Structure formats: C-alpha cells, structure tokens
Amino acid sequence: MTAPQPPFAPAPEAPFGPVLRANALTKIYGSAPVETHALKGVDLQIAAGESIAIMGHSGSGKTTLLHLLAGVLAPTSGTVSWRGRDLASMSDADRTKLRRSEFGFVFQSGQLLPELPALENAALPLLLAGIDRSMSMQLAREQLGRLGLAGLEQRRPGELSGGQAQRVAIARALVSDPEVIFADEPTGALDQATGWDVMRALKESAYICGAALVVVTHNPEVAHWCARTITMTDGRISNVAVQQPTSLEAQLVPPPPPAIFGGVGGAAR
Amino acid sequence: MSATQLWLLLRRYARNDSSTSARLTSVLAVIAFAATSAVSLVVVGGLMAFIHRWQDGLKVGNNDPKLYVMLAGFATLLLLVPLATLGAAAARLSMARRDARLAALRLAGATSWQVSVITLLDAGVQAVIGSVIGVAGYLAVLPLVAQLSFEGRQLSLAELWVGFPILAATVLGVAAVGVLSAASSLQRVRITPLGVAARVSPPKLSIFRLTGLLVAAAGAFLSVQVMGSLVGLFVVLVFGGFVALGIGVLNLIGPFVLQIVGRITASQARSAATLLAGRRIADNPKAAWRSVGGVAIATFIAGITSLVGLFADAADNEPDVQVLMTDLTTGGLLTLVIAGVLAAVSTGVMQAGRLIDQRQEYRNLVLAGSDTKTLDRARLRETSIPLIAALGTATASVLVVMVPAIGASAFAEPTVAMIFIASVLTTAAMVMAGAAATGFVARGLTADLAQ
C-alpha cells in the first residue's frame, strides 16, 4: 500500500535569515576508553518558518542533534545560536525559558499528564510560564478547536485515541506560539493513516502560526512533509534533499492575524 | 535453565544496569522496608518494656502497671495501620519496575513458574536487606528512646531490647510481607502477560484491608490477657469502640474530604503547581489519604490524650494520677511522632514511586522547558494540601468530641495546647521533608539531560 501524498507541499523557504544556527557541532557521550561520538561536526541553519526533516538509522545522531538544537544538551564542541545568541552563553534558567516560550515540542509518546483533562494538558506550558489561568485556558481551547478537538476538552488522555492524544500534544506545542517546533518521531506510535493525519495537522498548524518545524524521523513518508530533508549517517550529515513546493500549497489558508497569539510567547518578538 | 539460575543471571545484568530508575526503585524499596522494620522494633520494644515492668511487679505509686501494658498495646495496634501502609508501599514500589520486565520475559517464553520465582526472589531479597538495615536502625535509635520517662522512671536499654528471637521474627515477617505482596501482584502477570505489558491491570484491593480485622482480634486477645477479667475487657471494649468509631469515621470521610479539597483546589488554581496538585489529589483521593491518614488518626489520639491529661490536671492533684496523666500525654504525642515518621517515609516512597512510573512524562516536561522548581512545588503541594486538610479535620474532630465533655477548662492551660500544636507541626514538617526528599529522585530521572 502506498502512503497518501500530502495534499500540499512543504512551506517555501522563508525569505528571512536563519533563526537557529549550528556550527561544527560535536557530541561525545561517556569518557575514554568507552566514548561514543554521537555527532562529528554538523553545520545546520534553520530559517524562520521553514520545515526540516532529520532522517537516519538508529544511532546516527539525529535525536542528539535535536537535543543540541533545542538547548537540552550542550555540545562537546561547536556552537548553537538562537537569533545570533550562543546558547552556551545563556544561563540554564534562560535556556529553560527559551524552550518554554520560543520552542514547542512533540514527542512520540508520554507527553500528556494522565491526571489532567485535554484542555489543561494543552494549557500547561502557558500556566508554567505564569500566564493567567483564564487566558491560558482560552488560548488552549482555541488551539484544540483548530486541531479538530472541540468537544473533547474535558477528556483525560486515557479517554482519547492515539491520534487525538497526539493532536492534544500538538496543541500544547503550539499554544505558546513558538518560533520552532521540534518533533521527535511524532507518528512513531501511530498507524499509517493516523500518522498521516497527525503530520498534516502538525504541518498545517506550524505553517499557520509561522513556526519552523524540525522533525526527527526514520520514516520517509513523514519526511515528505518537510521542505528539506537531511540524512544523518554515523554522526555526520550525509545527504541534503530539497523538495519543490507544488501548486497545492495555495490551498492552505493564510495565517490568521497575529492578535490571537500576540499576547503570549510572542510578546517578546 | 532453572528459575533460580535465570534470576542470578538477571541479577548479574542488573548490577551493570545504569538505568537510574531501576536503581532508585530498589533503593527506595529497601529504605521503606528498613523504616518499616526499624519502627516496628522500636514500637515492640516499648510495648515489651511495659510488659517487663508489669511482670517484674515494678510500679510507682498505686497505678496499675497492667494499664500501661494495655495503653502501650493500644498504641502499637494503632501504629499497625501506618506500618502496614508503608510495608505495602514498599512492596508496590518493588513491583513498579518489574511489570514490564516480567511481561517481556513471559512473551519471550518464560514459564509462569520461572517468572514467579524471579519475582519472589527479587522482592524477598529487597525486603531482607531492608529489614537487616532496619535492625541496625533500631539499635541506633534505642539510646534516644531510652531518654523517655514513664511511670516516673526513665526507660532502660535492657527494657527496650526485644531479644534475638523477635529480631529474627521481624526480619522474616518483613520478608514475608514483601514476598506475599509480590505474589499477589503476580496473579495478573501469570494470567495475562500482554495485559501487564500494556498496563491495563485493573485496580486491586489490597490484602491489607484485612488489617482492621487483625487489629480487632489482637486487641480483644490482649485485653483478656492483661486485664484478666471481663469487667476490664468491657471497659477496654467501650473505650476501644469509641476510638475505633472515631478512626472509622475519619477513614470514611478522609478520602471524601480530600476529593472535594482536590476539586476545589484544581478549579481555583492560578498556577500550574496548584492545578497539578489539585488534579492529582482529586484523581486518587484514597492514595492521598493513605499518606496522611495515619498522621490524622495519631493526631486525633494525641489530641484526646492531651486533653484528658489536662482534664486530670484541673480536677485532681493526686501524684499517682498526675504521673498517669503525664504518661498518657507523653504516650499520645510519642504515637503521633512515630506515625509522623512512618507517614514521612511512606509519602516519600509513594511519591517517588509515582515519579518513576511517570518518568517519561516528567522528562518530557523538563525537555519542553518546564521549570523543575515549579514541578517540585507541585509535588510539595500535593502533600501539603491533604496534610493540612487531614490535620485540620483531626484537630477539629478532637475539639468536637472532647470540648463538650471537658468544657471550658480545656482552654484553661495553654501549655498543653501549645505542646500539642508543636507536636502536630513537627509531624507535619517531617511529612513535608519526606515529600521534599523526592527531589533527589526527580533530579536522578533527568540527570542525563544536565549536559
């Protein structure tokens, strides 16, 4: 069975400069004599609003690269800079704040807290950032609605299907209006059709709020949604493929006015 | 390969296993088993001290030493519930990480017999190591307990020493608790390895629900033995009946009150920490009550003994009665502090167990930029909110029951009230410290993310 093709092509390369830039990144785990060289010199630039798939076999270094780009891990050598600022020069608290307000994360599983209903799960990043409760809930409700989850706000994660739960996770990643969304195997736990739906929702939502999308995957069909696919082999980028946008791109609704997102994470922009 | 050989092989690999949560789980289970046995031995030691005094015919004034044995026995029975709770928490924790591994073994073709043996050996070894450490802990705190004075005389080390047979019996008893709990959890694995792998095990009612029956039977037996007469038994039954009624009512309304408190907290929450705490309490009020129920009951008892002491102070100046009443107050507060220690350990163990169960969610929250301090605050609130509710309910119950009986004189002596309040606050501080200690576990789960 062939996978359904995305109805629209990836977003065109944004006309802005890179927001996230990685230079000569290396990462070594452990210490001699049992060192693991996870990354061996990676250069990468991510422009505002663009989408990148990072592919590769297990152990090729793709998740390590994602963690370095997101400031979760520090490189052994090399730099990652966000809007010209070296992440290593920031305090841990500032990096945490950056992840909370400028980045959004979607994981394969285990991201929704079982005790919280969908609405509160989606609103969590805003509450954690100290945003007023009613404002947080309103933004989360709107985000859930956009992802086709209206009416399911009070359901617990255990009462949602895998695809619905992943959409709640996408709503949560988007609720603080991030500039970059990092997704680590976002469809890894889903069947093909549900995975396709979830990728469409992720791509559409990122496009609408103008966020860059960085997807780690081993699945070429998932990578197909992104404008650029880089392939990692043994800690290095071994291939870069660029997809041309198609006419279907035009079917996408234009981004809404920024008023909805303005007051939250985007306020600093 | 025999099941025992398979177990030894897995143990050898487990030693090299760098998985933080696996190591933490074992350490926590051992700590919980150690606390269970140390506190059990201290409590039994105290009971035996009074039995020795009674048998040796030692007494001060005209107070009946049998009464002291009765009261100490009563306190021991009261502490059985939090002790059993802690033992069960330890056993549950030692099972926490095992479900997935056992299911994987079953799927790989291990027989249910092999899986059973591996589980029981694991649980038994943790329980034995824990209880041996607990014996050392008992020996270490004996000099401290020997500072206490009852019947006008300081307790001696010799009086508090339980003897080797009881030491051995405690180690075996705690091991049996570990093994039996593991065996009861195994039922699920044996029937449906796939179900366990998918984490769909139905909620199980604990075997420790039988504790109430055991407490009643042991209480009746002790009454007849010590009082030696039906009149004594009658007095004990009436008094015990009232207290049991109070405890029963507390246990009945406790989870209900906590559920309401949790819901209100969640609906009114302005911060993520309070929202999480409220939702967790409302989601499982029984679990929240399990951590603080023992303290609530001990607070209730200590409140009553304090007020009874006060009543006697006001009414009677006879030295014998004074000694008895002082001892009663001391005993009540001592029970409260011991219950506090147990609650502190079981709160820490239960929260750590949940953290380990939800480690992926926790890691992802930290990855996504959640402040670990906020998550710490949520965990502390999850303990402090039920704790305040429980202590408040218990103290209010004491006032409701005792003030009409004693009247305004209850407020005549502020020292008694202050000592009681100080003890309650100390207990609360210990429980909060138990909850705060889980911060180490939380750091451990994200240690590899710290660069």
Side-chain angles (χ1 to χ4, degrees):
Chain A
M1 183 179 125
T2 49
Q5 289 301 301
F8 57 90
E13 292 301 317
F16 316 111
V19 285
L20 200 56
R21 192 191 292 263
N23 283 320
L25 285 185
T26 69
K27 180 69 183 175
I28 301 173
Y29 291 113
S31 51
V34 279
E35 287 180 343
T36 307
H37 292 253
L39 290 185
K40 300 172 180 168
V42 171
D43 295 295
L44 187 65
Q45 298 185 355
I46 298 166
E50 85 159 320
S51 55
I52 293 187
I54 304 173
M55 288 195 65
H57 295 296
S58 296
S60 60
K62 52 188 193 300
T63 296
T64 298
L65 177 58
L66 182 121
H67 283 167
L68 291 180
L69 290 172
V72 173
L73 292 176
T76 307
S77 67
T79 56
V80 177
S81 53
W82 167 252
R83 293 193 175 279
R85 198 172 163 204
D86 186 358
L87 292 189
S89 72
M90 299 167 89
S91 68
D92 187 49
D94 281 348
R95 274 197 302 270
T96 300
K97 196 173 163 202
L98 177 73
R99 290 207 299 275
R100 197 166 59 218
S101 56
E102 305 293 340
F103 299 164
F105 293 84
V106 180
F107 302 101
Q108 180 173 335
S109 60
Q111 44 204 332
L112 302 181
L113 294 178
E115 304 92 342
L116 299 185
L119 179 66
E120 288 171 9
N121 258 305
L124 200 57
L126 299 178
L127 292 166
L128 286 167
I131 309 278
D132 167 70
R133 179 180 175 133
S134 60
M135 167 71 104
S136 302
M137 295 301 167
Q138 187 196 328
L139 290 170
R141 195 183 300 278
E142 286 169 6
Q143 200 58 255
L144 288 175
R146 257 178 238 128
L147 283 154
L149 294 167
L152 303 180
E153 290 89 349
Q154 293 310 320
R155 293 235 186 132
R156 304 290 177 93
E159 298 162 344
L160 296 170
S161 70
Q164 287 168 337
Q166 205 61 344
R167 279 165 183 267
V168 174
I170 293 172
R172 178 155 102 180
L174 287 158
V175 78
S176 53
D177 189 22
E179 294 214 48
V180 184
I181 297 169
F182 294 100
D184 192 354
E185 300 282 7
T187 62
L190 304 173
D191 64 72
Q192 201 176 22
T194 314
W196 190 87
D197 276 348
V198 164
M199 267 317 288
R200 180 194 168 102
L202 180 60
K203 184 68 214 306
E204 256 179 10
S205 314
Y207 184 87
I208 288 170
C209 78
L213 179 62
V214 181
V215 182
V216 162
T217 182
H218 63 271
N219 184 347
E221 284 153 21
V222 170
H224 200 66
W225 287 91
C226 298
R228 200 153 44 119
T229 299
I230 65 167
T231 306
M232 303 280 301
T233 308
D234 198 19
R236 290 191 174 89
I237 294 179
S238 57
N239 188 45
V240 179
V242 178
Q243 260 201 92
Q244 291 306 313
T246 72
S247 60
L248 284 167
E249 185 72 39
Q251 291 182 7
L252 266 180
V253 281
I260 296 173
F261 303 108
V264 191
R269 251 174 259 170
Chain B
M1 186 183 264
S2 82
T4 320
Q5 284 170 320
L6 194 59
W7 175 72
L8 284 170
L9 183 75
L10 288 171
R11 293 288 324 157
R12 206 159 52 234
Y13 284 126
R15 263 203 298 277
N16 300 325
D17 183 6
S18 61
S19 149
T20 318
S21 51
R23 253 183 298 129
L24 277 174
T25 314
S26 311
V27 170
L28 284 167
V30 168
I31 289 175
F33 282 125
T36 306
S37 37
V39 173
S40 303
L41 284 169
V42 169
V43 170
V44 171
L47 176 62
M48 289 188 62
F50 292 112
I51 293 179
H52 286 316
R53 286 185 178 186
W54 167 46
Q55 285 172 344
D56 296 347
L58 296 173
K59 65 175 186 173
V60 176
N62 294 318
N63 289 332
D64 186 352
K66 274 194 282 189
L67 183 62
Y68 277 85
V69 177
M70 268 313 303
L71 292 171
F74 180 65
T76 307
L77 294 179
L78 270 181
L79 288 170
L80 273 184
V81 179
L83 267 172
T85 305
L86 179 56
R92 214 175 298 134
L93 191 66
S94 70
M95 287 304 294
R97 284 269 309 164
R98 223 169 280 148
D99 273 8
R101 199 183 73 174
L102 291 182
L105 275 172
R106 284 285 279 133
L107 290 170
T111 64
S112 61
W113 167 248
Q114 284 172 319
V115 168
S116 308
V117 171
I118 289 169
T119 306
L120 300 184
L121 281 172
D122 262 357
V125 165
Q126 281 178 353
V128 168
I129 293 173
S131 54
V132 169
I133 295 173
V135 168
Y138 156 69
L139 295 176
V141 298
L142 269 192
L144 209 67
V145 182
Q147 301 298 313
L148 290 167
S149 173
F150 281 98
E151 297 173 90
R153 238 163 10 106
Q154 218 175 315
L155 290 168
S156 74
L157 286 178
E159 283 173 331
L160 290 167
W161 169 243
V162 294
F164 286 108
I166 290 185
L167 282 187
T170 305
V171 172
L172 288 178
V174 169
V177 167
V179 169
L180 282 177
S181 298
S184 79
S185 317
L186 262 177
Q187 298 299 327
R188 294 169 295 161
V189 187
R190 247 191 301 233
I191 297 161
T192 163
L194 281 173
V196 171
R199 289 211 213 176
V200 290
S201 359
K204 262 171 60 57
L205 291 181
S206 166
I207 192 170
F208 291 99
R209 278 171 188 264
L210 292 177
T211 312
L213 193 65
L214 283 177
V215 168
F221 176 75
L222 199 71
S223 313
V224 177
Q225 288 296 306
V226 177
M227 301 311 272
S229 74
L230 285 178
V231 179
L233 179 63
F234 179 73
V235 172
V236 167
L237 282 181
V238 170
F239 178 65
F242 267 114
V243 175
L245 189 72
I247 293 171
V249 168
L250 264 180
N251 270 332
L252 209 63
I253 63 171
F256 178 70
V257 169
L258 286 188
Q259 185 162 50
I260 294 171
V261 168
R263 281 192 189 146
I264 293 173
T265 307
S267 69
Q268 300 299 317
R270 289 169 168 274
S271 70
T274 314
L275 175 71
L276 272 173
R279 283 278 177 240
R280 280 180 181 157
I281 296 164
D283 200 46
N284 196 349
K286 280 188 184 165
W289 180 252
R290 264 205 300 272
S291 332
V292 295
V295 174
I297 290 164
T299 303
F300 179 70
I301 300 296
I304 288 179
T305 54
S306 293
L307 286 176
V308 165
L310 179 76
F311 180 53
D313 266 358
D316 202 328
N317 284 325
E318 222 177 292
D320 289 350
V321 178
Q322 287 287 1
V323 169
L324 176 64
M325 292 305 158
T326 309
D327 287 351
L328 209 54
T329 308
T330 312
L333 295 178
L334 184 65
T335 310
L336 173 59
V337 171
I338 294 176
V341 170
L342 288 170
V345 179
S346 53
T347 299
V349 166
M350 282 195 253
Q351 280 207 359
R354 221 234 350 264
L355 257 177
I356 292 168
D357 275 348
Q358 293 189 1
R359 61 196 171 285
Q360 202 186 356
E361 285 81 356
Y362 183 83
R363 275 176 65 93
N364 286 343
L365 275 177
V366 174
L367 275 178
S370 300
D371 201 347
T372 47
K373 284 185 195 132
T374 307
L375 299 175
D376 286 347
R377 265 202 299 280
R379 253 194 340 275
L380 286 180
R381 266 170 221 180
E382 204 184 318
T383 303
S384 64
I385 294 168
L387 188 64
I388 292 168
L391 294 181
T393 309
T395 309
S397 308
V398 172
L399 294 177
V400 167
V401 172
M402 295 305 285
V403 170
I406 296 178
S409 66
F411 302 100
E413 188 69 64
T415 330
V416 175
M418 276 168 57
I419 292 175
F420 171 66
I421 289 168
S423 307
V424 171
L425 290 179
T426 308
T427 307
M430 284 194 293
V431 177
M432 290 312 295
T438 55
F440 292 110
V441 178
R443 299 294 164 275
L445 294 182
T446 52
D448 59 321
L449 298 179
Q451 317 293 307

